[in-house]
Amino acid sequence: MVLLMSCCCWDDVWKGSFACGIYTLIYYGFSALIGIMGLIDEWDFILGKREKPRGETIIEKGDITKTHVVFNIITLTVSMGLLFSAVLLIFGLKRKKRELLLPWILMMVTDIIVECFYIGYFLIYRSVTFDPVNGFIFTLILFITTLNVYCILCVISQYQLYRIRECLGGPQLAD
């Protein structure tokens, strides 16, 4: 049984999955760019030439922690993986190869898990003060995470349609 038969504003999950691939390329491309800039900024700390990270974020006023730098590296790694897997997703959709959808699904699930740990870290260990800016940022993170879950459901549905088509032995359920 297929989870979704349509996705977002599109009448089928193929178009929705394709939109998810484009969204991933744009959003995680931007995320990777920011991650690379943060990595360059903290390069001396990572190499051990400096004792403490020197950066600051909107959420963490003052000095950021070593844990934050680790989260930045993990987030950069996941973003790069999502960029690569989004290319595979789009190629897999064009060629109707369901196996090429799996890396994107796995990377997106990984991203959601990392985001949950990241939010939990700030809420529990860093005792973030909630001012309007932090409230907006956490709301935005919640929205993006919810969008990512919906994208996963859309791509999984397309994967299921390809699988059904394969089991039936024909192209009748290709898109």
PDB file of all heavy atoms in Angstrom, residues 149-162:
ATOM      1  N   VAL A 149      10.086  15.587   6.886  1.00  0.00           N
ATOM      2  CA  VAL A 149       9.326  14.357   7.133  1.00  0.00           C
ATOM      3  C   VAL A 149       8.320  14.139   6.003  1.00  0.00           C
ATOM      4  O   VAL A 149       8.172  13.028   5.480  1.00  0.00           O
ATOM      5  CB  VAL A 149       8.626  14.393   8.512  1.00  0.00           C
ATOM      6  CG1 VAL A 149       7.632  13.246   8.655  1.00  0.00           C
ATOM      7  CG2 VAL A 149       9.647  14.354   9.635  1.00  0.00           C
ATOM      8  N   TYR A 150       7.636  15.207   5.600  1.00  0.00           N
ATOM      9  CA  TYR A 150       6.673  15.101   4.503  1.00  0.00           C
ATOM     10  C   TYR A 150       7.380  14.713   3.201  1.00  0.00           C
ATOM     11  O   TYR A 150       6.878  13.885   2.436  1.00  0.00           O
ATOM     12  CB  TYR A 150       5.911  16.418   4.331  1.00  0.00           C
ATOM     13  CG  TYR A 150       4.769  16.315   3.356  1.00  0.00           C
ATOM     14  CD1 TYR A 150       3.610  15.616   3.681  1.00  0.00           C
ATOM     15  CD2 TYR A 150       4.859  16.899   2.102  1.00  0.00           C
ATOM     16  CE1 TYR A 150       2.568  15.505   2.785  1.00  0.00           C
ATOM     17  CE2 TYR A 150       3.820  16.800   1.200  1.00  0.00           C
ATOM     18  CZ  TYR A 150       2.674  16.105   1.545  1.00  0.00           C
ATOM     19  OH  TYR A 150       1.646  15.999   0.650  1.00  0.00           O
ATOM     20  N   CYS A 151       8.546  15.284   2.950  1.00  0.00           N
ATOM     21  CA  CYS A 151       9.327  14.923   1.759  1.00  0.00           C
ATOM     22  C   CYS A 151       9.708  13.449   1.789  1.00  0.00           C
ATOM     23  O   CYS A 151       9.648  12.761   0.763  1.00  0.00           O
ATOM     24  CB  CYS A 151      10.573  15.799   1.652  1.00  0.00           C
ATOM     25  SG  CYS A 151      10.259  17.491   1.149  1.00  0.00           S
ATOM     26  N   ILE A 152      10.102  12.953   2.958  1.00  0.00           N
ATOM     27  CA  ILE A 152      10.435  11.534   3.085  1.00  0.00           C
ATOM     28  C   ILE A 152       9.235  10.671   2.726  1.00  0.00           C
ATOM     29  O   ILE A 152       9.350   9.697   1.979  1.00  0.00           O
ATOM     30  CB  ILE A 152      10.933  11.200   4.511  1.00  0.00           C
ATOM     31  CG1 ILE A 152      12.305  11.793   4.756  1.00  0.00           C
ATOM     32  CG2 ILE A 152      10.977   9.691   4.737  1.00  0.00           C
ATOM     33  CD1 ILE A 152      12.772  11.690   6.202  1.00  0.00           C
ATOM     34  N   LEU A 153       8.059  11.038   3.232  1.00  0.00           N
ATOM     35  CA  LEU A 153       6.849  10.274   2.921  1.00  0.00           C
ATOM     36  C   LEU A 153       6.556  10.288   1.424  1.00  0.00           C
ATOM     37  O   LEU A 153       6.155   9.275   0.844  1.00  0.00           O
ATOM     38  CB  LEU A 153       5.654  10.826   3.701  1.00  0.00           C
ATOM     39  CG  LEU A 153       5.705  10.678   5.213  1.00  0.00           C
ATOM     40  CD1 LEU A 153       4.511  11.353   5.860  1.00  0.00           C
ATOM     41  CD2 LEU A 153       5.777   9.215   5.609  1.00  0.00           C
ATOM     42  N   CYS A 154       6.780  11.416   0.793  1.00  0.00           N
ATOM     43  CA  CYS A 154       6.552  11.544  -0.643  1.00  0.00           C
ATOM     44  C   CYS A 154       7.512  10.645  -1.432  1.00  0.00           C
ATOM     45  O   CYS A 154       7.086   9.891  -2.315  1.00  0.00           O
ATOM     46  CB  CYS A 154       6.711  13.014  -1.047  1.00  0.00           C
ATOM     47  SG  CYS A 154       6.308  13.356  -2.763  1.00  0.00           S
ATOM     48  N   VAL A 155       8.788  10.694  -1.106  1.00  0.00           N
ATOM     49  CA  VAL A 155       9.782   9.896  -1.835  1.00  0.00           C
ATOM     50  C   VAL A 155       9.583   8.405  -1.548  1.00  0.00           C
ATOM     51  O   VAL A 155       9.711   7.574  -2.457  1.00  0.00           O
ATOM     52  CB  VAL A 155      11.214  10.370  -1.512  1.00  0.00           C
ATOM     53  CG1 VAL A 155      12.251   9.464  -2.154  1.00  0.00           C
ATOM     54  CG2 VAL A 155      11.415  11.809  -1.980  1.00  0.00           C
ATOM     55  N   ILE A 156       9.258   8.048  -0.317  1.00  0.00           N
ATOM     56  CA  ILE A 156       8.971   6.643  -0.002  1.00  0.00           C
ATOM     57  C   ILE A 156       7.772   6.158  -0.817  1.00  0.00           C
ATOM     58  O   ILE A 156       7.765   5.028  -1.313  1.00  0.00           O
ATOM     59  CB  ILE A 156       8.737   6.449   1.514  1.00  0.00           C
ATOM     60  CG1 ILE A 156      10.064   6.559   2.270  1.00  0.00           C
ATOM     61  CG2 ILE A 156       8.075   5.101   1.795  1.00  0.00           C
ATOM     62  CD1 ILE A 156       9.916   6.547   3.785  1.00  0.00           C
ATOM     63  N   SER A 157       6.763   7.003  -0.974  1.00  0.00           N
ATOM     64  CA  SER A 157       5.598   6.633  -1.779  1.00  0.00           C
ATOM     65  C   SER A 157       5.994   6.372  -3.229  1.00  0.00           C
ATOM     66  O   SER A 157       5.507   5.424  -3.854  1.00  0.00           O
ATOM     67  CB  SER A 157       4.536   7.731  -1.712  1.00  0.00           C
ATOM     68  OG  SER A 157       4.064   7.879  -0.393  1.00  0.00           O
ATOM     69  N   GLN A 158       6.862   7.197  -3.777  1.00  0.00           N
ATOM     70  CA  GLN A 158       7.334   6.969  -5.151  1.00  0.00           C
ATOM     71  C   GLN A 158       8.136   5.678  -5.223  1.00  0.00           C
ATOM     72  O   GLN A 158       8.002   4.912  -6.165  1.00  0.00           O
ATOM     73  CB  GLN A 158       8.172   8.151  -5.643  1.00  0.00           C
ATOM     74  CG  GLN A 158       8.611   8.020  -7.077  1.00  0.00           C
ATOM     75  CD  GLN A 158       7.447   7.915  -8.043  1.00  0.00           C
ATOM     76  OE1 GLN A 158       6.479   8.665  -7.932  1.00  0.00           O
ATOM     77  NE2 GLN A 158       7.534   6.991  -8.988  1.00  0.00           N
ATOM     78  N   TYR A 159       8.952   5.434  -4.212  1.00  0.00           N
ATOM     79  CA  TYR A 159       9.712   4.189  -4.144  1.00  0.00           C
ATOM     80  C   TYR A 159       8.753   2.998  -4.157  1.00  0.00           C
ATOM     81  O   TYR A 159       8.971   2.013  -4.867  1.00  0.00           O
ATOM     82  CB  TYR A 159      10.568   4.171  -2.874  1.00  0.00           C
ATOM     83  CG  TYR A 159      11.357   2.901  -2.676  1.00  0.00           C
ATOM     84  CD1 TYR A 159      12.620   2.764  -3.236  1.00  0.00           C
ATOM     85  CD2 TYR A 159      10.841   1.845  -1.934  1.00  0.00           C
ATOM     86  CE1 TYR A 159      13.354   1.602  -3.065  1.00  0.00           C
ATOM     87  CE2 TYR A 159      11.560   0.677  -1.760  1.00  0.00           C
ATOM     88  CZ  TYR A 159      12.818   0.559  -2.327  1.00  0.00           C
ATOM     89  OH  TYR A 159      13.527  -0.596  -2.165  1.00  0.00           O
ATOM     90  N   GLN A 160       7.662   3.087  -3.380  1.00  0.00           N
ATOM     91  CA  GLN A 160       6.679   2.011  -3.329  1.00  0.00           C
ATOM     92  C   GLN A 160       5.999   1.811  -4.684  1.00  0.00           C
ATOM     93  O   GLN A 160       5.753   0.674  -5.090  1.00  0.00           O
ATOM     94  CB  GLN A 160       5.627   2.302  -2.254  1.00  0.00           C
ATOM     95  CG  GLN A 160       6.158   2.213  -0.848  1.00  0.00           C
ATOM     96  CD  GLN A 160       5.155   2.683   0.188  1.00  0.00           C
ATOM     97  OE1 GLN A 160       4.343   3.575  -0.069  1.00  0.00           O
ATOM     98  NE2 GLN A 160       5.208   2.075   1.363  1.00  0.00           N
ATOM     99  N   LEU A 161       5.703   2.914  -5.371  1.00  0.00           N
ATOM    100  CA  LEU A 161       5.094   2.785  -6.696  1.00  0.00           C
ATOM    101  C   LEU A 161       6.038   2.094  -7.674  1.00  0.00           C
ATOM    102  O   LEU A 161       5.607   1.243  -8.465  1.00  0.00           O
ATOM    103  CB  LEU A 161       4.704   4.167  -7.234  1.00  0.00           C
ATOM    104  CG  LEU A 161       3.464   4.799  -6.605  1.00  0.00           C
ATOM    105  CD1 LEU A 161       3.282   6.222  -7.104  1.00  0.00           C
ATOM    106  CD2 LEU A 161       2.228   3.963  -6.887  1.00  0.00           C
ATOM    107  N   TYR A 162       7.306   2.430  -7.629  1.00  0.00           N
ATOM    108  CA  TYR A 162       8.285   1.750  -8.488  1.00  0.00           C
ATOM    109  C   TYR A 162       8.360   0.261  -8.130  1.00  0.00           C
ATOM    110  O   TYR A 162       8.470  -0.584  -9.017  1.00  0.00           O
ATOM    111  CB  TYR A 162       9.665   2.374  -8.358  1.00  0.00           C
ATOM    112  CG  TYR A 162       9.837   3.688  -9.084  1.00  0.00           C
ATOM    113  CD1 TYR A 162      10.767   4.616  -8.650  1.00  0.00           C
ATOM    114  CD2 TYR A 162       9.101   3.998 -10.218  1.00  0.00           C
ATOM    115  CE1 TYR A 162      10.954   5.819  -9.320  1.00  0.00           C
ATOM    116  CE2 TYR A 162       9.273   5.197 -10.889  1.00  0.00           C
ATOM    117  CZ  TYR A 162      10.206   6.097 -10.434  1.00  0.00           C
ATOM    118  OH  TYR A 162      10.391   7.278 -11.099  1.00  0.00           O
TER     119      TYR A 162
END
